Amino acid sequence: MENLVIRDADVVDGTGADAYRADVVVTDGRIVSIVKEAAAAGCQRPRAAREVDAEGLVLSPGFIDMHAHSDLALLRDPDHSAKAAQGVTLEVLGQDGLSYAPVDDRTLDGVRRAITGWNGYGDDLDLDWRSVGEYLDRLDRGIAVNAAYLVPQGTVRALAVGWEDREATPAELDRMRQLVAEGLEQGAVGLSSGLTYTPGMYAPDAELTELCRVVAHYGGYYCPHHRSYGAGALEAYAEMVALTREAGCALHLAHATMNFGVNKGRAPELLALLDEALAAGADITLDTYPYTPGCTTLVALLPSWASEGGPQEILRRLSDEPTAERIRLDLEVTGADGCHGVPVDWDTIEISGVTDPALGDFVGRTVLGSARQRGEAPWTTARHLLLADRLGSTILQHVGHEENVRTIMRHRVHTGGSDGILQGTKPHPRAYGTFPHYLGRYVRELGVLSLEDCVAHLTGRPAARLRLPDRGLVREGYRADLVLFDPATVAAGSTYDAPRTLPTGIPHVLVDGRFVIEDGRRTDVLAGRAVRRTPR
């Protein structure tokens, strides 16, 4: 007798093909049999110790979050319903060039301080790993969902070069190549960059190209948060396309948006650029989240020169009146590179989280709104918050355009990524709602994507980018990472006012054939493991 039969499901298999009715049999974590139209055919139906009646439900592969910031959350919170309840069965970590391996003690402390707003400082955890392999081994002890890892280029640069704005020496470049190679050999699936974050942004294209050659050798992909999503966004995209083509490396564009007023309605220009490269043989994919605001840290808006040397140097510069005034001019007049070359509009910067509870009154308000309440200039408020919260504040940046979001999500190389930051009192709702929001809002309500096409964007296509030989499809022999959802009711529960509300219409989620969500409730199962790079 088999372990599990999912009976009378409408299977949407992740390829984009039409749905079909079937019984699906799962044994020892794998799909062993798919019996199409079993009831109508009158054939003997499979039996199992456990049977799930899926009448009226869609069975699809588990969703793959191509851009996640759960690097510590998966260890801190075994429940992890923020992702599991969405139907996510695999997250890609190590994003935006900054994460926690490979490191030494000095580098780890700097990274922890730099991305406290993303993951917390981590003093509630034993960060006892130093290599990529050791971090993946830590995940293998048991987590809520599976996780893949990108070698973070900014962390690699901090380890080999430091936090200074300078070119690497030949010896330092060799060290970076070695670190990237070691990370890939230990199981990472590629390399990420955060080219508006220090110290990764200090790398010239020649350095990035050399690292991408290493990635290409191992069959991985490069995932850059490129140098601008505002002024110069198209040029920044073109830079990444050219760089990876020179290196012979696959490219996956992180949270590929066109934001700020200068880019309203310009998504077709981005897609034309990508289509031209694809037609010429480039290997390109991208991910987006189905919302208009972005989310990052308040300190990320600062000009790169103000961030040189790391967090302690940033705080020192902010404490110095003449230097703080230089920062203000770059932010408000010139347009800092940290703010994508666009002068900051403080009315679009909403504080979403703080690390110091005493600063909680700032959360949910724009910097401009808080400044008016305090009777001071917006920069004064922002500077106070940066210093008082030790750079740990997170923000929502309301600079996106709905028409761009819809246009980009239709593209044939598009995949889904939440870019979900789980820290803060009022996180972006995408952290808890990205995948059901695609299905409820953009499939059922708006018809921007068909159900079959949308599921392919969220499952089969990202699995192909990750080169996963047995995930991402409902197919015999594949791992049973599966989600059952009601297409008539699936929806994101999370909103801007209540961002931690779980979704509706997703009663069952399986990781490796085990229920992590059963009848709409989180079980105590920790079936997730590190998913390592598939050797070429």
Side-chain angles (χ1 to χ4, degrees):
M1 185 170 285
E2 308 293 355
N3 290 346
L4 171 68
V5 173
I6 302 170
R7 197 174 298 289
D8 290 323
D10 293 322
V11 177
V12 178
D13 67 5
T15 66
D18 290 345
Y20 60 86
R21 178 65 64 91
D23 292 352
V24 177
V25 183
V26 173
T27 299
D28 295 330
R30 291 189 180 271
I31 300 168
V32 297
S33 178
I34 300 173
V35 184
K36 295 184 178 181
E37 300 292 349
C43 60
Q44 183 174 354
R45 305 185 70 176
R47 302 283 302 279
R50 171 74 193 275
E51 297 187 2
V52 173
D53 180 3
E55 181 70 37
L57 300 178
V58 167
L59 176 68
S60 83
F63 306 133
I64 297 176
D65 189 341
M66 286 295 288
H67 193 104
H69 288 285
S70 303
D71 306 50
L72 298 186
L74 275 166
L75 302 175
R76 176 182 291 121
D77 177 21
D79 182 82
H80 203 51
S81 288
K83 294 300 179 66
Q86 292 186 60
V88 171
T89 58
L90 172 60
E91 298 183 88
V92 185
L93 313 177
Q95 299 287 350
D96 295 331
L98 288 167
S99 190
Y100 305 93
V103 292
D104 56 16
D105 292 349
R106 173 188 57 84
T107 303
L108 178 59
D109 182 66
V111 169
R112 289 169 72 167
R113 294 182 186 279
I115 55 175
T116 294
W118 296 357
N119 294 296
Y121 182 68
D123 49 359
D124 55 333
L125 295 167
D126 182 7
L127 277 61
D128 57 353
W129 63 84
R130 292 298 178 266
S131 70
V132 169
E134 289 169 346
Y135 175 67
L136 297 180
D137 288 344
R138 179 70 174 273
L139 298 178
D140 274 340
R141 296 180 193 175
I143 48 180
V145 302
N146 296 312
Y149 189 73
L150 296 164
V151 179
Q153 171 259 329
T155 300
V156 166
R157 198 172 210 273
L159 181 54
V161 180
W163 297 79
E164 292 76 34
D165 183 2
R166 64 173 177 84
E167 289 193 12
T169 67
E172 289 166 342
L173 181 55
D174 283 344
R175 178 63 173 144
M176 285 189 279
R177 288 193 194 99
Q178 178 187 3
L179 290 165
V180 172
E182 288 173 354
L184 290 161
E185 288 172 354
Q186 292 165 9
V189 295
L191 176 74
S192 78
S193 284
L195 299 179
T196 63
Y197 301 128
T198 57
M201 70 192 312
Y202 299 140
D205 282 2
E207 178 181 309
L208 297 173
T209 301
E210 288 302 308
L211 299 184
C212 283
R213 292 189 200 280
V214 177
V215 176
H217 174 76
Y218 285 92
Y221 68 93
Y222 181 46
C223 180
H225 166 127
H226 52 277
R227 298 191 193 274
S228 176
Y229 291 84
L234 286 174
E235 291 80 3
Y237 281 112
E239 175 191 13
M240 295 298 100
V241 171
L243 184 155
T244 49
R245 295 207 68 191
E246 181 179 348
C249 184
L251 173 64
H252 181 83
L253 295 165
H255 37 61
T257 56
M258 292 287 287
N259 288 339
F260 302 90
V262 294
N263 289 317
K264 184 177 175 61
R266 298 187 69 189
E269 296 176 56
L270 167 61
L271 299 184
L273 168 70
L274 300 183
D275 283 338
E276 182 180 357
L278 289 162
D283 183 357
I284 300 173
T285 50
L286 58 86
D287 66 68
T288 70
Y289 46 83
Y291 299 88
T292 53
C295 179
T296 187
T297 55
L298 184 59
V299 67
L301 303 182
L302 301 187
S304 57
W305 64 261
S307 299
E308 184 180 1
Q312 292 303 320
E313 284 299 301
I314 298 171
L315 292 168
R316 183 188 64 78
R317 292 183 180 106
L318 286 167
S319 299
D320 179 71
E321 291 294 340
T323 309
E325 176 60 13
R326 281 185 61 202
I327 295 172
R328 184 195 70 80
L329 288 171
D330 266 12
L331 274 170
E332 295 185 346
V333 180
T334 306
D337 47 6
C339 196
H340 306 278
V342 177
V344 67
D345 177 356
W346 293 114
D347 199 29
T348 68
I349 308 300
E350 178 186 354
I351 304 302
S352 60
V354 291
T355 57
D356 183 351
L359 301 170
D361 286 348
F362 288 94
V363 175
R365 295 175 177 165
T366 67
V367 171
L368 180 61
S370 288
R372 285 173 173 167
Q373 185 181 48
R374 292 163 61 90
E376 60 191 19
W379 167 241
T380 302
T381 299
R383 181 187 174 199
H384 164 74
L385 191 53
L386 286 162
L387 287 167
D389 207 27
R390 306 289 294 178
L391 312 180
S393 304
T394 53
I395 62 170
L396 300 184
Q397 196 167 12
H398 296 270
V399 292
H401 306 285
E402 178 67 17
E403 67 271 34
N404 286 347
V405 170
R406 297 188 193 186
T407 298
I408 293 170
M409 75 169 62
R410 292 188 183 102
H411 197 270
R412 66 188 185 281
V413 301
H414 170 269
T415 67
S418 71
D419 197 11
I421 294 174
L422 300 171
Q423 286 290 112
T425 305
K426 193 173 180 288
H428 196 303
R430 69 192 185 194
Y432 283 72
T434 286
F435 295 87
H437 197 50
Y438 267 119
L439 296 167
R441 177 66 172 161
Y442 289 93
V443 172
R444 184 179 64 246
E445 295 178 6
L446 298 177
V448 173
L449 297 170
S450 71
L451 178 60
E452 290 86 351
D453 191 26
C454 184
V455 168
H457 286 229
L458 306 181
T459 61
R461 190 175 299 160
R465 164 51 73 218
L466 294 167
R467 297 178 59 237
L468 304 179
D470 58 356
R471 299 179 193 269
L473 301 176
V474 179
R475 182 171 289 176
E476 291 179 357
Y478 273 51
R479 290 187 179 273
D481 295 343
L482 300 168
V483 57
L484 279 159
F485 64 89
D486 183 347
T489 63
V490 62
S494 59
T495 65
Y496 293 102
D497 291 330
R500 296 186 187 275
T501 307
L502 296 179
T504 58
I506 304 179
H508 302 295
V509 181
L510 293 87
V511 173
D512 205 29
R514 301 171 65 191
F515 285 90
V516 296
I517 301 291
E518 187 172 13
D519 295 323
R521 295 181 178 87
R522 178 70 172 95
T523 70
D524 61 1
V525 167
L526 296 176
R529 298 293 186 270
V531 174
R532 290 167 168 82
R533 180 184 61 87
T534 303
R536 299 185 75 166

